[in-house]
Amino acid sequence: MWVLDLFCKTKKCSECNMRKNNSTSFDTTNKEEKSEKTIDDYYLELKIFYERFKHNSRTGLGDKYKEWEYNLLYTLSTASYSDVMYRELAKKIKSAVKNNEFEKLRALLYQSVFLKNVPNGLSGGCDHSGRFFEVMGYISCLGFDSVYRCFPKDIPLCTNGYPLTVINTNLLLCILYNNAEYKKYDETTVVSKAEKRILTKSDKALRGVTMCLLGILKHDVTKFNEGLPILLKNYNRIGLLNESEKALCQFAISLVVIAKKFFTEKEFHDIVFPESKNFSRQYCEYIFSKDSFEPKIFYEYPDELLPLNQLLLTPIPITKLTKEQAYRIAYEGLDENAFKTILDEDRMMMDFILEYRARKQNNTPVSIAENTR
């Protein structure tokens, strides 16, 4: 659980007293109290800090956070009771899968993915491999075309990130932009690293993803069929997954969508779809019926937090990269001649805010699923 005690160290400010009076303590050690939290507590959490950001310029976050949208999105991404929202989304996701309510399911998945990947201007220190989990979520609810916002055609291969995520991102880039006539990327090296990695015993779920992507790239349906059940069986063991992510394996949905796009008709027909509680072949068929879907949310935020409804429906930012100095060895400090590529989170965040403002000025309607409560 995220602890949103980032802006005051003494707990003596009025907002903290307000929190205490409303029985929304920062203390997360009391399991009985934790289990009693509701979605109203989640909304209260956001309201308290939204009010602080609107009326108090002393945010403690630095000059780049002068824009109120920055602060609101930062609050959304670090709210203490986000697990309450994820738990509610998980319940609805399971119900929607069971009842084949696919438009409703898509809205639930989108809201879950957005909340997990809120643009907040904070860098994780990785390059665009840091968006691999994000894009594998968005494909499952926005359709295949969402991949191009995370990995546009001018993007280089990844070099800076978690090894398997780098490998999987590079495999996806080769699938997207290499073809028989033109090899934009060094596919031989990418495939060699991937094939070595799948022989290891760690990270079973991500190795299943690697096998599926290798299968798509090499048009090897057997490899794809081998990797998909491995992913589904081990998906919920991936660290830091929230309850809504565990309800349905969005990675598997997205891999099927990618396979549909790049396999031949015969190859796709030969895919063996596993029977699994966290997978829905019927939803796959729904989501790859179109290349692109409009964002839609399931839970509408209350009037006091109305800007969040529009923020959640703003198109995800296109990946931008920048360079920063790299460390040689920890005790030696910065190397003046060494740089590493990272996501330019500040620029992406501002692009997102400008897009939000443009949509707001043009009165772009908010799309909310029916029966939201």
Side-chain angles (χ1 to χ4, degrees):
M1 176 179 292
W2 294 96
V3 179
L4 198 64
D5 191 12
L6 300 176
F7 309 108
C8 70
K9 304 298 183 183
T10 63
K11 295 191 177 71
K12 293 181 180 179
C13 67
S14 59
E15 288 83 358
C16 289
N17 291 330
M18 187 191 309
R19 172 186 289 279
K20 183 176 180 181
N21 294 335
N22 285 281
S23 300
T24 52
S25 172
F26 283 99
D27 182 13
T28 60
T29 59
N30 189 323
K31 294 183 178 180
E32 181 178 355
E33 181 180 351
K34 178 181 175 182
S35 65
E36 295 175 353
K37 298 305 176 187
T38 68
I39 201 163
D40 288 331
D41 294 310
Y42 169 73
Y43 291 144
L44 177 61
E45 173 83 23
L46 295 177
K47 290 175 188 177
I48 289 172
F49 284 92
Y50 178 40
E51 289 300 318
R52 167 180 287 182
F53 288 136
K54 285 199 305 183
H55 301 299
N56 185 1
S57 61
R58 184 183 56 80
T59 63
L61 292 176
D63 291 341
K64 68 179 182 179
Y65 285 93
K66 290 181 179 178
E67 308 295 341
W68 70 266
E69 294 99 336
Y70 264 118
N71 298 324
L72 182 56
L73 285 167
Y74 185 88
T75 302
L76 183 65
S77 67
T78 57
S80 294
Y81 303 130
S82 293
D83 60 325
V84 176
M85 174 60 88
Y86 290 135
R87 187 173 67 239
E88 292 300 315
L89 288 169
K91 292 177 183 177
K92 299 290 186 182
I93 288 170
K94 292 176 182 178
S95 174
V97 171
K98 182 179 179 180
N99 297 316
N100 291 332
E101 299 173 295
F102 297 139
E103 185 64 14
K104 178 179 178 180
L105 176 58
R106 191 178 73 80
L108 289 161
L109 293 177
Y110 173 78
Q111 194 156 8
S112 169
V113 176
F114 185 94
L115 292 176
K116 179 69 177 285
N117 300 282
V118 173
N120 58 19
L122 300 181
S123 174
C126 298
D127 58 16
H128 43 301
S129 65
R131 298 196 78 181
F132 182 75
F133 275 59
E134 180 182 357
V135 75
M136 294 301 282
Y138 278 127
I139 291 174
S140 73
C141 53
L142 293 181
F144 177 80
D145 282 356
S146 59
V147 73
Y148 295 117
R149 296 192 71 85
C150 290
F151 303 136
K153 64 181 180 180
D154 59 345
I155 211 82
L157 287 176
C158 298
T159 58
N160 174 32
Y162 182 68
L164 253 180
T165 309
V166 168
I167 288 171
N168 286 336
T169 304
N170 288 341
L171 284 171
L172 182 54
L173 289 175
C174 288
I175 292 169
L176 292 173
Y177 299 116
N178 280 8
N179 54 56
E181 292 77 28
Y182 174 65
K183 300 291 185 183
K184 179 178 180 179
Y185 303 112
D186 181 2
E187 189 172 305
T188 302
T189 300
V190 171
V191 169
S192 176
K193 290 181 179 180
E195 289 177 336
K196 289 179 181 179
R197 193 69 183 189
I198 61 176
L199 297 177
T200 63
K201 295 183 178 181
S202 60
D203 298 312
K204 288 184 178 180
L206 290 180
R207 283 194 290 116
V209 174
T210 306
M211 294 168 73
C212 289
L213 291 172
L214 269 173
I216 297 170
L217 180 62
K218 308 302 288 186
H219 290 267
D220 184 346
V221 185
T222 301
K223 181 70 70 176
F224 186 93
N225 286 338
E226 186 180 352
L228 192 59
I230 292 175
L231 165 62
L232 288 168
K233 182 178 179 180
N234 296 281
Y235 178 72
N236 285 3
R237 299 177 185 175
I238 296 176
L240 301 179
L241 292 185
N242 59 56
E243 287 301 309
S244 62
E245 291 175 297
K246 294 178 181 179
L248 186 70
C249 182
Q250 293 166 268
F251 275 49
I253 303 294
S254 296
L255 286 168
V256 172
V257 172
I258 298 168
K260 177 69 174 177
K261 191 75 174 177
F262 291 95
F263 272 160
T264 66
E265 185 176 345
K266 182 183 183 304
E267 288 167 345
F268 188 81
H269 182 267
D270 290 339
I271 291 178
V272 177
F273 293 96
E275 293 292 332
S276 178
K277 292 181 179 180
N278 61 348
F279 181 74
S280 170
R281 179 178 178 178
Q282 292 78 12
Y283 179 71
C284 289
E285 293 173 353
Y286 164 79
I287 205 67
F288 59 58
S289 64
K290 294 196 299 184
D291 285 337
S292 179
F293 291 85
E294 288 296 317
K296 180 177 286 190
I297 58 177
F298 185 81
Y299 282 104
E300 181 181 5
Y301 286 87
D303 290 343
E304 301 92 322
L305 294 167
L306 196 59
L308 284 179
N309 294 320
Q310 193 70 60
L311 283 166
L312 260 71
L313 297 171
T314 302
I316 60 176
I318 296 174
T319 293
K320 302 292 174 57
L321 299 173
T322 187
K323 299 279 189 179
E324 73 170 11
Q325 280 189 301
Y327 284 86
R328 295 194 301 270
I329 302 176
Y331 58 81
E332 292 185 8
L334 288 171
D335 184 346
E336 294 182 357
N337 299 312
F339 292 85
K340 63 180 180 179
T341 301
I342 62 170
L343 285 172
D344 192 344
E345 297 280 5
D346 284 348
R347 186 178 173 190
M348 290 165 59
M349 181 66 173
M350 186 52 68
D351 287 348
F352 182 82
I353 289 176
L354 292 175
E355 178 71 20
Y356 159 76
R357 290 175 180 174
R359 290 167 63 87
K360 183 179 179 182
Q361 185 175 0
N362 294 332
N363 295 317
T364 303
V366 177
S367 181
I368 301 171
E370 295 179 1
N371 302 318
T372 59
R373 294 298 179 92

